[in-house]
Amino acid sequence: MTVSRRNAFRAAAECRGEEVLAFPTEAGPEGILVSGSPESIERLRCILDDYQMAQAIATDLGELVAQSMLI
């Protein structure tokens, strides 16, 4: 999405009284833009934080299992 389209998305969300969440992806730090009520955006932030934490834990566990198999 171009900068001008992102800015238009943000401006439209602000006009509706919504918040915008930018979720980073491999494509860049602002890969996905989501707008919604402040409450729904906060819930989404919590869900995404939990998901990222679960990913990190799964990666750590995978590394520990791999290391234990080498012993």
Side-chain angles (χ1 to χ4, degrees), residues 13-52:
E14 285 179 18
C15 286
R16 294 188 302 265
E18 297 177 343
E19 288 190 11
V20 175
L21 172 67
F23 183 72
T25 64
E26 293 87 25
E30 228 181 44
I32 300 172
L33 292 179
V34 180
S35 68
S37 70
E39 296 83 13
S40 65
I41 293 297
E42 184 56 34
R43 271 188 249 128
L44 182 57
R45 273 192 187 102
C46 290
I47 290 168
L48 292 173
D49 287 346
D50 289 348
Y51 175 75
Q52 289 174 328

